[in-house]
Structure formats: structure tokens, C-alpha cells
Amino acid sequence: MTKQTSDAIERVLLDEEKITARVRELAAQINTDYADVDALALIGVLKGSFIFMADLARHLTVPHRVDFIALSSYNRNTVSTGAVRLIMDTRFSVAGRHVLIVEDIVDTGYTLDYLLRTFRARQPASLRTSVFLSKPARRQVEVPIDYLGFEIPDVWVVGYGLDYADRFRTLPYIGALKREVYEK
Ligand code: PRP
């Protein structure tokens, strides 16, 4: 880790060991729940989910395939309006498949709500969500999370896929960013 990085982190919220243990638990639960399913479709939301997806998927024993989508949200840096747009779609059709959406974080809930509405309309055989982090204090719209890693307080977190201005995504832990980094 560079000095610049360590200077930006206030504290470690979740260390590597805790994350690994929890991801294994989630995968075990998914393996049990989908034991009778012959092909689970994991759909990760870029960019934030790429590390959680990689770790989760590698602990799955149920047959699965991996795909990604990309979204664009308007006014993300000011007050979230909930306006979300799909800018890259799945490569396979989700109709009739068992779909599990994989997200790094649910904040206001607008993104996941949009995704659930979008994918439900495509008539999958089933539709569930796996989310690494949730900030319940920020919720504007209630969304179902079937497999949740951790609930966290309303602080700006980075690492394990999450960024600040596209930095810090590959930190192996979840760290709270110092206020001065995002308020300057
Ligand atoms: C983050 C995260 C979710 C969304 C959650 O994405 O990955 O998709 O915000 O926020 P919400 O619950 O308030 O809708 P972001 O726009 O930061 O993009 P990124 O994953 O590419 O960093």
C-alpha cells in the first residue's frame, strides 16, 4: 500500500480475514439454496462488484455462469435522484434462468430497485440479490437483500471493489475514508 493510500484511510472497518470468512458463508448459503438448480446466472454490477463477484463465484459449487452489466447514474455526486440507466447489458438472455444480482453496496437502494424492476420484467425463473455491504441509514427505497455481507454505518468506505473517484478499489479490506479526502 502506498503512503498516499494509508494517509487517506481513517480506520479499517472490515479486514481481509473477516471479509473472506463472510464471503465463504454467503457462498455456502447460496450452494445450499440453489442445490437443485442446474445453472445459476450471476450478474455483477460494474464496476464495484468485480472483486466480490470473483471471490463469491470461486466458492460456489453450484453450476453457474458469470456476466456483468454497467449502469450510469445521474447526479451521483450530488443528491441521488434515483435516475439510473443501463449502459451495458448482459450477454446472455435471463428469461427462464435463475438470476442472482451481485452488488458491492446498497446505499439509497435506487440502483438495486431499478435492477430488480428491469430484470423482473424479463421473466427469469427466479431473481435474488447478493450484496456485500448495506448502509441502512441511507435507504430511500426498500429493496430485498437475500444474501448480505455486512451492514455498515453511514461513512464513506473504499476497498474490496469500492472507490472514491476510481481510487482505492483494490485495497484488500474495507476502510473508512478520511473526511478531508472527500471534502476538499
Ligand atoms: C455504487 C454501487 C451501487 C450503487 C448503490 O455504484 O456499486 O451500484 O452505487 O447506490 P444506491 O443504493 O444509492 O443506488 P457507483 O455508482 O459508485 O459505481 P461503481 O460501482 O462503478 O463505483
Side-chain angles (χ1 to χ4, degrees), residues 106-114 138-143:
V106 172
D107 190 340
T108 62
Y110 287 132
T111 305
L112 194 57
D113 181 59
Y114 167 82
R138 295 261 309 158
R139 205 70 93 245
Q140 296 292 318
V141 50
E142 277 317 311
V143 283

Side-chain angles (χ1 to χ4, degrees), residues 19-20 23 27 50-60 160:
I19 293 172
T20 306
V23 172
F50 79 113
I51 290 178
F52 178 44
M53 171 68 98
D55 284 352
L56 186 71
R58 285 180 297 171
H59 286 110
L60 294 182
Y160 204 68

Side-chain angles (χ1 to χ4, degrees), residues 77-98:
N77 297 325
T78 55
V79 179
S80 184
T81 57
V84 181
R85 190 165 52 102
L86 197 57
I87 55 171
M88 186 186 87
D89 210 335
T90 57
R91 297 208 183 178
F92 55 73
S93 160
V94 304
R97 293 186 197 279
H98 293 278

Side-chain angles (χ1 to χ4, degrees), residues 36-57:
D36 299 330
V37 167
D38 55 5
L40 176 62
L42 303 173
I43 300 181
V45 185
L46 293 174
K47 300 180 194 173
S49 74
F50 79 113
I51 290 178
F52 178 44
M53 171 68 98
D55 284 352
L56 186 71

